[in-house]
Amino acid sequence: MTKQTATQWQFQLTGDPVNMRIASNPKAAFTLEAGFLAESVEQMIGVVAETEVTPVTKTHKSIAVNMTVHLDPKDPTSDPQELIPMKLILPEREPDPETSDVADKN
């Protein structure tokens, strides 16, 4: 993360994976990474988020992909009732006599 405000989080992707991807495909869009980033931020803070990918730039002999996550603090992603975990209903099973504990046999 390079910068954070109430409505924007800015990230910069760099390193060998980015360099190799741009070298193999100069028009690489990085939309999959942008989607993962937006979804992760939505889940972390609970508001709608979208990621904008800005043009690729060169910094210090490296290539950088800049992404800005736009947040909408007035638009929550879920109802607080949805945050209550579901109760699991497991099927009832008869105890297996071969794996039953010795205490169960008394």
Side-chain angles (χ1 to χ4, degrees), residues 21-99:
R21 184 149 168 212
I22 295 294
S24 67
N25 180 8
K27 294 182 181 182
F30 292 89
T31 54
L32 181 65
E33 293 82 357
F36 282 135
L37 191 56
E39 184 63 27
S40 297
V41 171
E42 276 189 15
Q43 289 181 7
M44 285 190 313
I45 63 172
V47 299
V48 172
E50 291 183 7
T51 302
E52 173 187 8
V53 181
T54 57
V56 174
T57 59
K58 290 188 176 188
T59 61
H60 308 293
K61 300 181 185 177
S62 181
I63 297 172
V65 177
N66 298 302
M67 296 187 178
T68 303
V69 180
H70 299 278
L71 309 171
D72 187 355
K74 296 179 183 178
D75 194 1
T77 57
S78 62
D79 180 9
Q81 291 297 320
E82 293 176 5
L83 300 177
I84 298 171
M86 288 183 3
K87 189 175 194 177
L88 295 178
I89 301 173
L90 302 173
E92 293 185 27
R93 300 187 314 192
E94 293 293 322
D96 185 357
E98 291 183 20
T99 59

